[in-house]
Amino acid sequence: MKEELYNIPLTDAFQAEDECPFCFVERKLEEHTLDFVLGPGASYMEDDVRAETDSFGFCRAHYKKMYEYGNRLGTGLILKTHFQKLNKELDEQIKMFAPSRTSLMGRLKGRKSQDTAAERTSLGAWANSREKSCYICNFYKNTYQRYLDTFFEMYRKDPAFKELFLKSKGFCIPHFGDLSEEADRVLPDKEKKAFFDQLLPLMKKNLERLYNDLDWFCDKFDYRFKDADWKTSKDALQRGMQKAAGGYPADPPYTSAK
Ligand SMILES: [Zn+2]
Ligand SMILES: [Zn+2]
């Protein structure tokens, strides 16, 4: 099964007036990928797709979404053949592994450097690479990159789009990070400053707005404000979580019924 190019106009994402237009894009891409992986097209019955899901596996967040999606047999088949691969890999790891000899000093030092990134064992490294490997994350990563490219193309060429950007509610922190990195990579030096002069106040203003929403949200639990208007704070929790870490915590599970 060939995957056709999936497109959501970036202007739709900005017009949705969400806390983050790139979260909007990401949600659509993720739903589309779930449909592709487990939906009625049954791509998991295609050898080439299955070879990839066998090899990549999925991350914790996407296993949860697959569980909720509702195709139990499809999910079972995908998992079953992924486990053939996992069992083979574990065998190889066991063959390769030998516990290291660590002196007392080494153990003490080791404990101190626990939060550094490097794993001490080949098993830890293997498990870590498994955890990070996900067919769904990988599937839409490249498409997401295209949206970042499109953003800067439109920002530079289309004044109406630039206006949408300036009037937006800014971005979540992770997507703000991506956007900053990409700006530094693609914008000519003389446009960089102008862009950051717009982006940074936009982020600051909108993070402060969320702080105020959260402040009033908490005040509303005080009996004195019980009957006061919620103003814009009723959904401050999910918007605050989105702003801080991306995603839509209040979304119901995405299921195959749609
Ligand atoms: Zn976002
Ligand atoms: Zn994933």
Side-chain angles (χ1 to χ4, degrees):
M1 175 174 166
K2 274 277 154 283
E3 160 62 4
E4 82 274 22
L5 215 58
Y6 184 66
N7 244 323
I8 315 135
L10 200 49
T11 43
D12 285 7
F14 276 83
Q15 275 157 355
E17 294 182 26
D18 265 2
E19 290 299 338
C20 175
F22 283 101
C23 282
F24 183 93
V25 167
E26 196 177 64
R27 173 166 66 183
K28 291 265 190 214
L29 292 176
E30 189 181 57
E31 288 174 356
H32 172 74
T33 312
L34 277 164
D35 287 337
F36 174 72
V37 171
L38 285 172
S43 70
Y44 51 88
M45 296 310 285
E46 308 282 335
D47 289 343
D48 53 337
V49 174
R50 187 77 76 83
E52 285 190 10
T53 58
D54 286 353
S55 158
F56 277 101
F58 300 87
C59 67
R60 185 189 290 204
H62 284 132
Y63 272 131
K64 170 134 176 73
K65 292 194 173 178
M66 288 164 74
Y67 188 83
E68 291 167 343
Y69 185 81
N71 180 350
R72 292 170 67 78
L73 175 59
T75 310
L77 290 168
I78 290 172
L79 261 182
K80 185 181 99 170
T81 50
H82 176 53
F83 264 80
Q84 289 173 349
K85 166 98 174 146
L86 277 184
N87 286 335
K88 214 184 276 166
E89 281 185 13
L90 181 60
D91 282 345
E92 284 159 16
Q93 290 297 326
I94 290 171
K95 253 183 243 157
M96 263 168 39
F97 179 69
S100 66
R101 298 167 68 87
T102 316
S103 65
L104 180 62
M105 274 309 284
R107 278 208 296 278
L108 292 173
K109 254 194 228 155
R111 218 167 281 157
K112 264 187 201 155
S113 61
Q114 229 168 27
D115 46 16
T116 57
E119 301 89 357
R120 293 170 56 91
T121 61
S122 54
L123 299 175
W126 174 66
N128 208 359
S129 71
R130 272 271 135 250
E131 254 182 272
K132 285 191 184 121
S133 175
C134 173
Y135 178 81
I136 294 181
C137 287
N138 194 63
F139 193 91
Y140 67 71
K141 204 159 54 191
N142 296 337
T143 319
Y144 169 68
Q145 180 58 43
R146 274 212 330 261
Y147 279 92
L148 284 176
D149 296 341
T150 309
F151 173 86
F152 285 104
E153 259 173 57
M154 292 175 75
Y155 172 80
R156 296 179 72 192
K157 287 183 198 147
D158 181 350
F161 180 76
K162 193 174 194 166
E163 199 54 32
L164 268 179
F165 158 69
L166 290 171
K167 284 195 188 133
S168 76
K169 294 179 173 167
F171 305 89
C172 71
I173 305 271
H175 288 137
F176 163 67
D178 292 348
L179 208 59
S180 301
E181 291 288 306
E182 191 68 7
D184 192 68
R185 200 173 67 80
V186 303
L187 288 180
D189 281 347
K190 56 180 190 317
E191 289 177 40
K192 262 181 210 173
K193 187 180 173 333
F195 175 70
F196 282 107
D197 280 350
Q198 291 171 332
L199 175 66
L200 299 182
L202 183 69
M203 284 300 291
K204 202 170 150 46
K205 182 176 93 183
N206 282 287
L207 254 65
E208 280 165 6
R209 171 179 55 80
L210 261 165
Y211 171 78
N212 291 328
D213 283 352
L214 286 162
D215 190 36
W216 182 236
F217 177 88
C218 296
D219 279 349
K220 271 288 289 165
F221 288 80
D222 186 322
Y223 72 96
R224 287 171 300 165
F225 302 123
K226 191 166 62 73
D227 299 319
D229 187 50
W230 275 99
K231 299 185 218 171
T232 52
S233 289
K234 201 149 199 179
D235 58 352
L237 274 192
Q238 55 262 49
R239 286 187 297 103
M241 287 174 174
Q242 178 180 14
K243 207 55 149 187
Y248 294 86
D251 268 4
Y254 183 69
T255 64
S256 58
K258 279 167 200 150

